[in-house]
Amino acid sequence: MYKNIIFGVGFAVIWALSFIFTQLALKDFPPLWLAGTRLIFSGLILFIIIRYYKKTRIEYNFKILLAGLFTQAIYLGASYWSLVNLPTSIVNIVVSTVPMVSIPIAYLYLKENVKPYELISFAICIFGVAVALSGKINNLGNIDINYIISISLLLISVISLAFGNALAKKELSQEKILEFCCLQFFTSGLILVFLAAYIEPMPNINGNIETIASIVFLVLFGSILGTILWFKLLFDMTMIGASSFFILTPMLGIIGGMLFFDESLSMEKIIGTIIISCAIFIRFYLGWYKKLTRTQM
């Protein structure tokens, strides 16, 4: 139990930081080029580890490939495009709705039981997200078409991520997590680079240390370590339980946006984050803490 909490918090921190480093790298990399490059380099590193250190083969698995299409290609491509026009804090807040989207998918596809307190906590979470976004929504006259498209793409990416996670959970194997990651990274990266070559200009790094460092973080931590931690959580827990760690990302995203990009801290964001924090307390206290207390008794 404690191991899953440590893995989950670590995953949430990496997830939130990845959006910050993505925002930094987007100064020199178009979104699809950045997502595709990140995935291909991640796949190459894992391939070397699997081939020369584990000395195992990567077996073809259609459902894992399909899951990678949703969780890597569609999710990263759509969310990266949205980051071009949206602040990091808003992206993190919207992505925190993954647990809510996961509930009907996990119930219908994975036949997971949904506990009442999970529904309550996730409903509170959605309300908190709505409050955090309300400042922008109240100024609809100042919102351009790019903002609307970006929010739409972000919502598509969240649905795609939740659906892909459900597909992956049915096929996961503790012994083949690296192989599954490598398979997903390579195929999704190639798809994104192929699309980028047709619709985006070539990236222009010009020796920018900030961009290079951001890509290194995204490859080593955002993709490799972050996905491995996520797969371990998905293997050990229900999909709904593992997805609850996404609720931690709004607070981290808001703090990161203030520190790195001087994003404003509006009253709506503060209240929304407090509400989301209440959802976190309900989910973790009524879930893990009470279960641990019963075990000790």
Side-chain angles (χ1 to χ4, degrees), residues 37-38 41-42 45 214-224:
T37 301
R38 161 186 173 174
F41 274 111
S42 301
I45 292 173
S214 297
I215 294 174
V216 170
F217 177 90
L218 292 173
V219 168
L220 297 180
F221 294 93
S223 283
I224 296 177

Side-chain angles (χ1 to χ4, degrees), residues 137-247:
I137 295 172
N138 288 334
N139 297 305
L140 288 175
N142 299 324
I143 298 178
D144 59 19
I145 188 64
N146 287 329
Y147 183 86
I148 296 174
I149 292 174
S150 297
I151 287 292
S152 300
L153 284 172
L154 194 53
L155 293 174
I156 290 172
S157 74
V158 169
I159 296 171
S160 176
L161 180 62
F163 185 69
N165 286 334
L167 288 175
K169 182 166 177 57
K170 274 199 169 184
E171 301 297 318
L172 272 181
S173 167
Q174 183 78 2
E175 295 77 24
K176 295 184 178 181
I177 286 180
L178 292 185
E179 287 83 350
F180 285 172
C181 288
C182 183
L183 196 61
Q184 289 189 350
F185 293 160
F186 257 133
T187 53
S188 296
L190 289 174
I191 290 171
L192 288 173
V193 167
F194 178 79
L195 290 175
Y198 279 92
I199 64 178
E200 290 182 343
M202 291 292 291
N204 184 22
I205 301 179
N206 289 328
N208 190 326
I209 299 299
E210 184 180 84
T211 300
I212 295 173
S214 297
I215 294 174
V216 170
F217 177 90
L218 292 173
V219 168
L220 297 180
F221 294 93
S223 283
I224 296 177
L225 180 58
T227 306
I228 290 173
L229 287 177
W230 171 248
F231 274 173
K232 285 186 175 294
L233 289 170
L234 206 58
F235 182 82
D236 291 336
M237 304 173 65
T238 64
M239 178 178 161
I240 295 174
S243 297
S244 65
F245 286 104
F246 282 94
I247 302 177

Side-chain angles (χ1 to χ4, degrees), residues 24-274:
L24 293 172
L26 283 172
K27 296 175 183 178
D28 298 310
F29 261 79
L32 295 185
W33 274 114
L34 178 59
T37 301
R38 161 186 173 174
L39 291 174
I40 288 175
F41 274 111
S42 301
L44 280 172
I45 292 173
L46 286 184
F47 177 78
I48 293 172
I49 293 174
I50 293 166
R51 181 68 179 84
Y52 295 101
Y53 291 93
K54 286 191 67 178
K55 298 186 183 301
T56 58
R57 297 176 60 186
I58 300 175
E59 298 178 1
Y60 172 80
N61 186 311
F62 174 75
K63 289 187 177 180
I64 287 295
L65 282 176
L66 187 60
L69 178 65
F70 285 104
T71 60
Q72 303 295 336
I74 297 177
Y75 168 72
L76 284 182
S79 62
Y80 277 23
W81 265 93
S82 68
L83 271 170
V84 174
N85 297 300
L86 296 176
T88 307
S89 57
I90 293 297
V91 173
N92 270 289
I93 289 171
V94 174
V95 170
S96 70
T97 62
V98 168
M100 196 65 185
V101 178
S102 298
I103 288 177
I105 295 175
Y107 177 75
L108 294 172
Y109 184 71
L110 299 175
K111 309 302 180 184
E112 292 184 1
N113 293 324
V114 181
K115 298 177 177 62
Y117 69 82
E118 290 177 327
L119 287 174
I120 293 172
S121 65
F122 292 152
I124 294 172
C125 171
I126 296 299
F127 177 66
V129 171
V131 171
L133 294 174
S134 63
K136 190 72 176 180
I137 295 172
N138 288 334
N139 297 305
L140 288 175
N142 299 324
I143 298 178
D144 59 19
I145 188 64
N146 287 329
Y147 183 86
I148 296 174
I149 292 174
S150 297
I151 287 292
S152 300
L153 284 172
L154 194 53
L155 293 174
I156 290 172
S157 74
V158 169
I159 296 171
S160 176
L161 180 62
F163 185 69
N165 286 334
L167 288 175
K169 182 166 177 57
K170 274 199 169 184
E171 301 297 318
L172 272 181
S173 167
Q174 183 78 2
E175 295 77 24
K176 295 184 178 181
I177 286 180
L178 292 185
E179 287 83 350
F180 285 172
C181 288
C182 183
L183 196 61
Q184 289 189 350
F185 293 160
F186 257 133
T187 53
S188 296
L190 289 174
I191 290 171
L192 288 173
V193 167
F194 178 79
L195 290 175
Y198 279 92
I199 64 178
E200 290 182 343
M202 291 292 291
N204 184 22
I205 301 179
N206 289 328
N208 190 326
I209 299 299
E210 184 180 84
T211 300
I212 295 173
S214 297
I215 294 174
V216 170
F217 177 90
L218 292 173
V219 168
L220 297 180
F221 294 93
S223 283
I224 296 177
L225 180 58
T227 306
I228 290 173
L229 287 177
W230 171 248
F231 274 173
K232 285 186 175 294
L233 289 170
L234 206 58
F235 182 82
D236 291 336
M237 304 173 65
T238 64
M239 178 178 161
I240 295 174
S243 297
S244 65
F245 286 104
F246 282 94
I247 302 177
L248 295 172
T249 60
M251 294 178 293
L252 299 171
I254 289 174
I255 294 171
M258 292 173 56
L259 294 176
F260 287 87
F261 307 111
D262 295 323
E263 294 177 5
S264 60
L265 182 60
S266 63
M267 184 57 65
E268 291 86 359
K269 287 183 181 178
I270 295 174
I271 296 175
T273 302
I274 292 174

